Amino acid sequence: MDDPNQSFDPTVLPASDPCPFCTIANTYPTYDPTAPPGPDEPSLDPSKAAPASFVVLSTPTLLAFLDILPLSAGHLLLCPRRHAPKLTDVDAREAAELGRYLRLLSRALVRTTGVSDWNVVQNNGAAAAQVVNHVHYHLIPRPEIRASGKLRESFTMFGRGVRSELDDDEGAALAAKLREAVREVLEEESRKSKL
Amino acid sequence: MDDPNQSFDPTVLPASDPCPFCTIANTYPTYDPTAPPGPDEPSLDPSKAAPASFVVLSTPTLLAFLDILPLSAGHLLLCPRRHAPKLTDVDAREAAELGRYLRLLSRALVRTTGVSDWNVVQNNGAAAAQVVNHVHYHLIPRPEIRASGKLRESFTMFGRGVRSELDDDEGAALAAKLREAVREVLEEESRKSKL
């Protein structure tokens, strides 16, 4: 949700009352990530929140959803359900659970997008380009574009790139695929831990 | 250790055999982070590894040290001790421990530098600007420079900024302060959890 074009001018930071990520947390119920809702699940209807939200994970502790101004297809945000402005404001259990799911969501993202390179970014404070005042990690696939000679364009983390709004139908389909990929990854982990 | 100027041209990626972060892991012994070595501890002598390394944390699972080409004072790297190329290659326990220490090191970093804004960045693969092929998180303080009109210069994550080499004496002193701040943070946590 960070708009990097805005982040260069702190005077245009949007008011975040109510916090948009708390709104998403309050709108969408938790579900068991090992048995995720399908694409047409009414409780995850993207139009229930404004702007439309595409939920990829919703546990009692964490929430993940598609960035609505993605830097690339699959650009995800992961945050604690509870409001906390910066990473220093989460508790020890939330911090560990965020770390655990950064790995699991990375696996799901690589599997779903077919893109094997990605960035994990977490910004704290206006000077660090944080726009939404609710701690969140970005997971950003980096498609291989070296061959095209457009390498510079892949480094658009902080506002030099073009971000276009996520299409609602594509967002819903992609979120459902990612929920299913998270389920697969969790199932494989659980099978491995039983060996 | 990522040189962002290099990351724009994958043909100049350095060979990483032996892995420089494994070298650091093999050079410096673990210590109890609640009783860290002081500034003159021989076992943490920065000159024992080449290039000089400034250890901030060294547990059986994790390692943190100063970036030798810092984007700002206090620029830290956190990685698993065991070699793993990408975040998808760490195990579940390492992922959670990385998450836990990202929060603790952030607290120590804010306390030590007095800078309250910072970025956490973790790059996976050449297309995502990863240079050292051993998974690591960057913690990068972002001093407030809005007033100076140099805001653009703060967004130097991927190679547009000037990175100058870390001074050995400053590095050793800063690393010792950070080890002490980690101790303080852990002590406060432990006191809180006993309440």
Side-chain angles (χ1 to χ4, degrees), chain B residues 78-102:
Chain B
L78 170 66
C79 67
R81 202 164 194 97
R82 192 176 66 87
H83 187 79
K86 291 179 174 177
L87 187 56
T88 39
D89 300 315
V90 305
D91 66 29
R93 201 181 53 89
E94 288 166 331
E97 193 71 357
L98 286 165
R100 185 176 158 242
Y101 266 98
L102 283 174

Side-chain angles (χ1 to χ4, degrees), chain A residues 7-11 13 86-92 95-103 106-107 110 116-129 137 140 142-146 151-152 154-158 160 189, chain B residues 7-11 13 86-92 95-103 106-107 110 116-129 137 140 142-146 151-152 154-158 160 189:
Chain A
S7 72
F8 287 106
D9 182 358
T11 61
L13 290 179
K86 291 179 174 177
L87 187 56
T88 40
D89 300 315
V90 305
D91 67 28
E97 193 71 357
L98 286 165
R100 184 175 158 243
Y101 265 98
L102 284 174
R103 165 176 169 274
S106 290
R107 290 193 171 191
V110 168
S116 60
D117 291 1
W118 73 104
N119 297 108
V120 174
V121 178
Q122 192 274 316
N123 304 326
N124 299 282
Y137 282 94
I140 310 165
R142 292 292 178 182
E144 180 58 77
I145 55 167
R146 275 186 265 172
L151 190 61
R152 265 165 200 284
S154 79
F155 293 86
T156 53
M157 192 77 61
F158 292 106
R160 293 172 191 82
E189 297 278 307
Chain B
S7 71
F8 286 107
D9 182 358
T11 61
L13 290 180
K86 291 179 174 177
L87 187 56
T88 39
D89 300 315
V90 305
D91 66 29
E97 193 71 357
L98 286 165
R100 185 176 158 242
Y101 266 98
L102 283 174
R103 166 176 168 276
S106 290
R107 290 192 171 191
V110 168
S116 59
D117 290 1
W118 73 103
N119 297 108
V120 174
V121 178
Q122 193 274 318
N123 304 324
N124 300 280
Y137 282 93
I140 311 166
R142 291 291 178 183
E144 181 57 77
I145 55 169
R146 274 186 267 172
L151 190 62
R152 265 165 199 282
S154 78
F155 293 87
T156 54
M157 192 75 61
F158 292 106
R160 292 171 192 83
E189 298 277 307

Side-chain angles (χ1 to χ4, degrees), chain A residues 22-40:
Chain A
C22 285
T23 300
I24 297 175
N26 294 333
T27 303
Y28 296 101
T30 62
Y31 66 82
D32 177 356
T34 67
D40 301 320

Side-chain angles (χ1 to χ4, degrees), chain B residues 159-181:
Chain B
R160 292 171 192 83
V162 178
R163 297 173 75 165
S164 45
E165 230 171 291
L166 185 65
D167 176 86
D168 280 4
D169 291 343
E170 284 172 23
L174 181 55
K177 273 189 207 163
L178 284 164
R179 293 196 295 269
E180 174 59 19

Side-chain angles (χ1 to χ4, degrees), chain B residues 127-140:
Chain B
Q130 183 179 19
V131 175
V132 176
N133 191 33
H134 182 135
V135 56
H136 56 287
Y137 282 93
H138 296 255
L139 289 92
I140 311 166

